[in-house]
Amino acid sequence: MAFLDLLDNIGGLGLFQLLNAILLTIPGFLTACHALLQNFSAAIPNHHCRIPNQTSTVSNWIFSFSELSNKSILKAFIPLEKNNKPSKCERYLNPQWNLLILNETTHHKINQTTEKCRDGWDYDRREFLETIVSEWDLVCSRKPLKQMSQTVYMGGVLAGAIILGRLSDKFGRRTVLTWSYFLLAVSGTSTAFSPSYFAFCCLRFLCGMAVAGISLNSVSLMMEWIPTKSRACIGTLGSFGFTVGQLLLAGIAYNIRTWRKLQLSISVPFFFFFVCSWWIPESARWLVLNNHYDKAMREIQRVARVNRLPEEGKKITVEVLHMHMDKEIHVNKTSHTHFDLVRTPQLRKITICLMMLCLGYYGLVMDLQKFGLSMYLAQIIFALMDFPSLFINLTSLNLLGRRITQGGMLIIAGGVVLAIIFVPEDMKILQTVLAMIGTGFMGAAFTSIYIYTGELYPTMIRQTGMGFGSTMARIGSMSAPVVLMLDEYFSYLPSIVFGIIPIFAGFSAFMLPETLNVPLPDTIKDVELQTLSPILIGGSVPHIL
């Protein structure tokens, strides 16, 4: 007998499981906002070198700024780029007043000396009143600092996955979740008052750590109370929290156009979540594995009462818990390390394949400005695409299996991203449509990989494997801003990287064993005894011998 049998006895997927899933999903709306906040808080407004306020005399003409249009002033101070737009990083060394009386043909024939923007920049504040870019001048030679701030945030997520993941194994899922809420509330609110770019990055690092703690422990607390047959459904539906968060972010950012107030609006609610989190029950499985039998028994009886099966809850005793979790308790007594992930050929193949599944998604959703649409509209479009893609993903997981779904989603996503390269620059709408489709399938693949990973690794190293997968995902998301920086040197390079890697990962997924309707393996030996089914859809379903 197993703990899952005990869950079925106290209601399976009952009222408690639904309420618990909702309570854990709602904060996910705002953690998604923190993950994609860079799109708005670090948006790059149109800008040009700051023009000094002065009056100049040319020949017998006196020009006063008050008598000239903005276009004329820019023409005299700012050179034009190849697209006939004002240069963003250079200005004339001396005002070219002669250009105001010369025609465009003469303008292009004259060789004027230029210099870098020594007096700062002027920004177009019609769409964004204030961003970190306009506040700290993260443009031109300082432009890489814009993407660096997102890399620092993702580094915090990586550190949080490692540190808070281990702390949750030691002190409990709910305890770490509660204090992660508090950490995000404090660090997020403090970020809104950052006096410098350095302070901003440090606080965003802490925000990333908190988001990792919330994400990992929310999933654990949700899944460890849900029967296996319902995990794919609840796990996929839980992903809609990220989708709703994207829509929510677009709405909030549209109404709040300054980055400090925007940061504040998505951080303060976590003080409320911190208070509410004390109601969330600790994982009974974790309590038993850490010898807290009395607490586990009380939590299970509480769940039974909420599911309106109080009599079944009263039957739960310490002896019953031992009987249902004897194998897991025995496995837990054996210490395991990350070395176990590559101990055998089958585990090596699983681990290496999973390493390649986690880069492209953030590369698309973190650079919405390049599509030429309104940032707010682009955010909404990308979010809405998640609904049909996740529905297709859920259906495919249960009909075609995990392996075909995972590989197919990644290959389609990568192919669509590569197709963007061949779309002319002036066809922004088509580029956006293709990116939207690619992001939708990438997001669906990102969801299914968490379900698939939990079914591939045996019980004795499942948490280690899940943690490793999360770590690789964070490394991929940290790499995405770095790849985006290369756009300055070769505009197609990000699309090539974000397209080829998912395709390669998709084909590698076909090397993994199928896990649809297969009992979860408990030991490394169980994994080695799994029979790989053929790659074809009609192949036999694998089983544990």
Side-chain angles (χ1 to χ4, degrees), residues 219-466:
V219 171
S220 295
L221 285 170
M222 191 185 303
M223 292 302 176
E224 290 181 1
W225 284 108
I226 294 175
T228 301
K229 60 184 179 183
S230 305
R231 285 181 179 176
C233 179
I234 296 297
T236 301
L237 293 178
S239 298
F240 282 112
F242 192 87
T243 302
V244 174
Q246 293 184 66
L247 295 172
L248 185 63
L249 176 61
I252 296 174
Y254 182 80
N255 290 281
I256 301 176
R257 301 298 181 98
T258 58
W259 76 267
R260 292 183 184 273
K261 292 180 180 179
L262 179 60
Q263 176 75 41
L264 203 61
S265 67
I266 65 172
S267 299
V268 170
F270 281 94
F271 285 108
F272 175 73
F273 298 144
F274 166 69
V275 175
C276 293
S277 66
W278 295 97
W279 180 88
I280 300 172
E282 181 56 90
S283 165
R285 182 179 180 276
W286 179 87
L287 289 171
V288 171
L289 293 179
N290 287 272
N291 300 316
H292 301 298
Y293 294 102
D294 291 337
K295 290 183 180 179
M297 194 167 56
R298 288 197 298 269
E299 296 290 12
I300 292 173
Q301 290 172 348
R302 175 186 173 189
V303 172
R305 288 195 301 271
V306 175
N307 285 340
R308 299 173 184 175
L309 294 170
E311 295 303 319
E312 290 294 332
K314 293 178 181 178
K315 296 178 182 178
I316 304 300
T317 63
V318 173
E319 290 73 20
V320 171
L321 289 176
H322 262 291
M323 180 177 63
H324 280 83
M325 298 190 64
D326 180 66
K327 186 174 182 179
E328 290 177 285
I329 293 172
H330 174 74
V331 169
N332 190 60
K333 291 179 179 178
T334 306
S335 61
H336 300 286
T337 66
H338 285 80
F339 176 73
D340 291 307
L341 298 175
V342 293
R343 265 180 56 185
T344 64
Q346 185 75 323
L347 283 174
R348 280 196 293 273
K349 178 161 55 178
I350 290 173
T351 301
I352 292 172
C353 288
L354 291 175
M355 284 174 60
M356 297 182 290
L357 302 181
C358 304
L359 172 63
Y361 180 75
Y362 282 99
L364 291 176
V365 299
M366 289 194 313
D367 195 24
L368 298 182
Q369 276 191 297
K370 70 179 180 182
F371 297 111
L373 299 176
S374 163
M375 287 280 293
Y376 311 100
L377 178 60
Q379 185 73 65
I380 291 173
I381 291 174
F382 274 70
L384 290 177
M385 184 58 197
D386 281 352
F387 288 101
S389 63
L390 287 175
F391 176 77
I392 294 172
N393 182 64
L394 176 60
T395 304
S396 180
L397 281 172
N398 291 315
L399 292 181
L400 301 180
R402 287 24 172 174
R403 183 181 59 188
I404 292 174
T405 300
Q406 185 72 68
M409 292 285 180
L410 286 166
I411 292 172
I412 293 173
V416 171
V417 173
L418 287 177
I420 297 175
I421 299 175
F422 303 99
V423 178
E425 283 293 323
D426 57 343
M427 300 179 68
K428 294 293 185 182
I429 294 179
L430 181 57
Q431 286 184 343
T432 303
V433 170
L434 290 175
M436 179 181 68
I437 295 172
T439 303
F441 279 100
M442 201 85 74
F446 207 70
T447 298
S448 63
I449 191 174
Y450 281 99
I451 299 171
Y452 201 12
T453 303
E455 296 173 338
L456 284 169
Y457 286 116
T459 301
M460 62 191 303
I461 57 171
R462 185 168 295 128
Q463 282 298 102
T464 303
M466 292 288 287

Side-chain angles (χ1 to χ4, degrees), residues 35-272:
L36 300 176
L37 183 63
Q38 179 92 352
N39 280 332
F40 300 98
S41 66
I44 304 177
N46 288 328
H47 56 278
H48 57 75
C49 295
R50 183 167 294 141
I51 298 173
N53 187 15
Q54 64 180 26
T55 300
S56 274
T57 302
V58 178
S59 300
N60 296 322
W61 293 89
I62 296 179
F63 295 96
S64 173
F65 278 18
S66 61
E67 299 171 359
L68 298 174
S69 66
N70 288 334
K71 185 177 181 181
S72 297
I73 295 173
L74 285 179
K75 188 175 182 179
F77 281 88
I78 308 297
L80 297 179
E81 295 179 337
K82 293 181 180 179
N83 56 7
N84 284 326
K85 292 183 179 180
S87 174
K88 296 179 179 180
C89 301
E90 293 183 334
R91 69 179 184 183
Y92 291 122
L93 183 61
N94 296 303
Q96 303 295 307
W97 297 114
N98 59 303
L99 296 179
L100 300 184
I101 57 176
L102 296 177
N103 59 37
E104 291 296 319
T105 303
T106 307
H107 169 207
H108 289 294
K109 290 182 179 179
I110 298 176
N111 181 24
Q112 292 88 9
T113 304
T114 61
E115 64 178 354
K116 302 298 182 182
C117 302
R118 294 188 302 173
D119 301 318
W121 288 262
D122 285 326
Y123 296 92
D124 183 350
R125 301 183 187 275
R126 287 175 293 182
E127 186 172 13
F128 303 101
L129 293 178
E130 191 73 74
T131 69
I132 65 169
V133 172
S134 60
E135 180 163 342
W136 293 311
D137 289 335
L138 307 183
V139 293
C140 299
S141 62
R142 290 167 56 86
K143 188 176 180 180
L145 293 179
K146 170 190 178 287
Q147 297 293 359
M148 185 59 65
S149 64
Q150 183 68 9
T151 299
V152 169
Y153 168 80
M154 290 299 179
V157 177
L158 171 60
I162 297 172
I163 297 172
L164 298 181
R166 289 183 177 274
L167 290 178
S168 67
D169 284 337
K170 184 175 182 179
F171 298 105
R173 289 27 169 158
R174 194 198 69 176
T175 300
V176 174
L177 175 66
T178 296
W179 290 107
S180 293
Y181 284 147
F182 184 73
L183 176 60
L184 186 54
V186 173
S187 59
T189 301
S190 300
T191 301
F193 300 96
S194 301
S196 65
Y197 174 77
F198 178 76
F200 172 82
C201 288
C202 290
L203 290 168
R204 283 287 285 169
F205 182 87
L206 294 178
C207 288
M209 287 189 64
V211 167
I214 293 170
S215 301
L216 289 175
N217 289 287
S218 293
V219 171
S220 295
L221 285 170
M222 191 185 303
M223 292 302 176
E224 290 181 1
W225 284 108
I226 294 175
T228 301
K229 60 184 179 183
S230 305
R231 285 181 179 176
C233 179
I234 296 297
T236 301
L237 293 178
S239 298
F240 282 112
F242 192 87
T243 302
V244 174
Q246 293 184 66
L247 295 172
L248 185 63
L249 176 61
I252 296 174
Y254 182 80
N255 290 281
I256 301 176
R257 301 298 181 98
T258 58
W259 76 267
R260 292 183 184 273
K261 292 180 180 179
L262 179 60
Q263 176 75 41
L264 203 61
S265 67
I266 65 172
S267 299
V268 170
F270 281 94
F271 285 108
F272 175 73

